[in-house]
Amino acid sequence: MATETRPFNATSFNAYLTEDKRLMGVRCRACGMLSPEPRPLCRSCHSRDLEWHEFSGRGELSTFTCISIGPVYMVEQGFGRNNPYCSGIVTLEEGPRISARILGVDGNNPQNIRTGMDLVLALEEIDPEHPSLMFRPA
Amino acid sequence: MATTSSRRQLGRSVSIVGAGMSGFGAFADKDSRDLFVEAFQDLLDHLDQGMDIEDIECAYVGNYSSDLFEHQGHTAPIIADWLGMTPIPVTRIENACASSGSALREGIMAIASGMYDIVLVGGMEKMTNLPTEGVTDVLATAADALYEVPTGLTFPGIFGAIAKAHMDRYETNLDHLLKVAIKNHVNGSKNPKAQFNVTIRNLMERRVTRAEQRGQPVPDYNSEMDFLNDPGANPWIAWPLRLYDCAPITDGAACVLLVASDIAHNFTDKPVTIAGTGQASGRPLHDADELTSLSAARTAAARAYEMAGVTADDIQVAEVHDCFTIAEIVASEDLGFFEPGEGARALDEGRTALDGDKPINTSGGLKAKGHPVGASGVAQVAEIFHQLRGEAGERQVDNPDLEVGLTHNVGGTGGTCVVNILRKG
Ligand SMILES: [Zn+2]
């Protein structure tokens, strides 16, 4: 991995995601703590010695919800009572969990969505204007 | 580390001597200051031996987001003015739905420190100005704007994900969630201040009657469960949560008067003492150590139990933060009332009903009483105050030895939790 010089913050996280198509978080050199959310202080050992760490983008669905009443920005994208969308918690194969949109599943049939299913990052779907993590079934 | 020892005690004892609540509901003509004044007047009207407002030395006001709901920041001095208390120090405390739980703790500590003897603590929220999507957006600001909100997760959505995890891991099912709502509406039907002063059976009967009057197809409900399983009557909000799994959008305020315990009898012969208080912070759900529990609740409860010198078994009545039905089940486990995964069964067995051995949310809870977010923590304390004094009317817990009650107030999806233990006398 090339030496990464971006600061540990959400601007960098989103830039990696949208420009470099990589899920970049941090690793603590002192204790090994991994966080997909870039942060300048280790929350486990309080060390300041962190480095960028690339996550593979593979994981599994730990829990989810299918949302019928969404916030304004989801309603504007056409989601709603007749077209619910799925969001959930993904456990990355490296261990940490993150929140994400779950694509490629039927929000109207949540009983058919299986927790434990393998997911991959859907980089092609990310909107550079409103970046957010999205996964789809592997 | 010695500096973070949990073995903390209050510097001196603090008592609650009065409590007041505005009506809870949707009030187009009332702003949050009007609601707070109404709660304060209710407190004064029921303060056993009365008081001079000039004796109040300090106040803390819990409020989540008057900024976004009412386009009004810096609300504390306005409350001071509207109550005729200027120039005493008044401070607004914001911790999402635990705002007034945290405000209460600030008031407790202000007295325990010796700084003041008489402190007013309350909370308020005016929510019904905005349409539902707008309220959804405001509530979502309590979640992480960088790593949660952009994924479309809403406040009900995050609790929906907790419910799914709980159903996957334990025997909890959709019916259990609905039974929390049924129970809390039964209690709310006995609370004249509740936004939903009505049982779910009543609501079901109203729907049938309305269909008959309009000549529409009459739904064939045999029970409340049929009604709650009708997607027309109870639509999905964030699967597995439906409309009746969610606390309503509410305007309201509540307040209590805190005093140093050694002067409590100047105000009432029936004070209620703060036996223990605990507050803790937690992480977003994706970084929680369990998807089926709020770690902040477990930590706050441990601190409060330790300070009070009691255990979960000693709690005789509790108001817990049922912003969603699943949250009550999770709370009953986090507080140690039942083992993890046993909350739904305890509910099924009627143990948390008004006549059960662990009555929860006698007021109707946030679900039926209403959830003006910044007011809820203190409104819970007001309910336990009334229960311990034996003045809860139709919903009074039938236990002549009622002495110890608990409140559990959650901010956001567990980022904050405040637990208080109150003791009669
Ligand atoms: Zn570390």
Side-chain angles (χ1 to χ4, degrees), chain B residues 93-287:
Chain B
I93 304 288
E94 190 273 302
N95 253 342
C97 322
S99 294
S100 60
S102 291
L104 182 88
R105 273 176 58 86
E106 295 304 316
I108 291 168
M109 291 186 285
I111 293 174
S113 74
M115 184 81 145
Y116 302 113
D117 290 327
I118 304 174
V119 174
L120 179 72
V121 167
M124 60 189 185
E125 209 74 55
K126 168 69 187 181
M127 301 176 72
T128 64
N129 284 347
L130 296 182
T132 302
E133 315 87 75
V135 174
T136 301
D137 278 354
V138 174
L139 294 176
T141 67
D144 187 320
L146 301 180
Y147 298 105
E148 283 182 302
V149 177
T151 70
L153 279 170
T154 57
F155 192 40
I158 294 171
F159 276 95
I162 292 173
K164 169 61 177 160
H166 210 272
M167 296 194 304
D168 274 356
R169 182 169 177 183
Y170 304 120
E171 287 168 19
T172 307
N173 59 41
L174 292 173
D175 284 356
H176 289 125
L177 304 182
L178 300 178
K179 285 175 187 172
V180 173
I182 292 171
K183 170 184 77 72
N184 289 351
H185 273 265
V186 167
N187 294 347
S189 74
K190 303 172 195 291
N191 182 354
K193 289 260 174 78
Q195 182 170 10
F196 289 98
N197 180 222
V198 62
T199 64
I200 290 198
R201 178 162 288 273
N202 297 148
L203 293 167
M204 173 182 89
E205 288 161 358
R206 280 185 200 170
R207 189 174 173 89
V208 171
T209 307
R210 203 163 50 234
E212 285 167 351
Q213 286 167 348
R214 292 179 183 171
Q216 293 165 340
V218 178
D220 182 25
Y221 302 137
N222 289 311
S223 70
E224 290 109 316
M225 290 307 257
D226 287 350
F227 167 72
L228 292 173
N229 278 304
D230 173 359
N234 191 18
W236 296 108
I237 302 294
W239 185 93
L241 303 181
R242 287 172 269 208
L243 179 63
Y244 280 89
D245 289 302
C246 306
I249 294 165
T250 309
D251 304 329
C255 57
V256 295
L257 189 65
L258 299 179
V259 304
S261 294
D262 54 12
I263 60 166
H265 286 274
N266 297 345
F267 299 85
T268 177
D269 293 333
K270 295 197 293 179
V272 166
T273 306
I274 305 289
T277 179
Q279 178 173 331
S281 52
R283 293 169 172 167
L285 181 63
H286 59 247
D287 272 334

Side-chain angles (χ1 to χ4, degrees), chain A residues 37 63 66 73 85 87 97 99 115, chain B residues 149 151-152 161 168 239 286 288:
Chain A
E37 301 154 346
T63 188
C66 292
Y73 68 93
Y85 60 93
S87 296
R97 289 193 292 240
S99 296
T115 48
Chain B
V149 177
T151 70
D168 274 356
W239 185 93
H286 59 247

Side-chain angles (χ1 to χ4, degrees), chain B residues 227-361:
Chain B
F227 167 72
L228 292 173
N229 278 304
D230 173 359
N234 191 18
W236 296 108
I237 302 294
W239 185 93
L241 303 181
R242 287 172 269 208
L243 179 63
Y244 280 89
D245 289 302
C246 306
I249 294 165
T250 309
D251 304 329
C255 57
V256 295
L257 189 65
L258 299 179
V259 304
S261 294
D262 54 12
I263 60 166
H265 286 274
N266 297 345
F267 299 85
T268 177
D269 293 333
K270 295 197 293 179
V272 166
T273 306
I274 305 289
T277 179
Q279 178 173 331
S281 52
R283 293 169 172 167
L285 181 63
H286 59 247
D287 272 334
D289 49 359
E290 301 271 1
L291 298 175
T292 52
S293 167
L294 306 184
S295 65
R298 285 181 276 130
T299 307
R303 298 281 186 274
Y305 287 141
E306 184 173 29
M307 189 185 286
V310 302
T311 70
D313 290 344
D314 297 316
I315 303 302
Q316 297 164 300
V317 58
E319 287 284 297
V320 312
H321 199 91
D322 60 327
C323 48
F324 301 93
T325 50
I326 184 62
E328 176 170 316
I329 292 172
V330 169
S332 71
E333 299 169 356
D334 286 340
L335 292 166
F337 296 167
F338 313 114
E339 292 295 313
E342 296 290 321
R345 181 193 308 191
L347 168 80
D348 250 344
E349 292 170 348
R351 297 184 60 187
T352 58
L354 193 51
D355 59 356
D357 66 310
K358 213 65 158 183
I360 291 181
N361 286 332

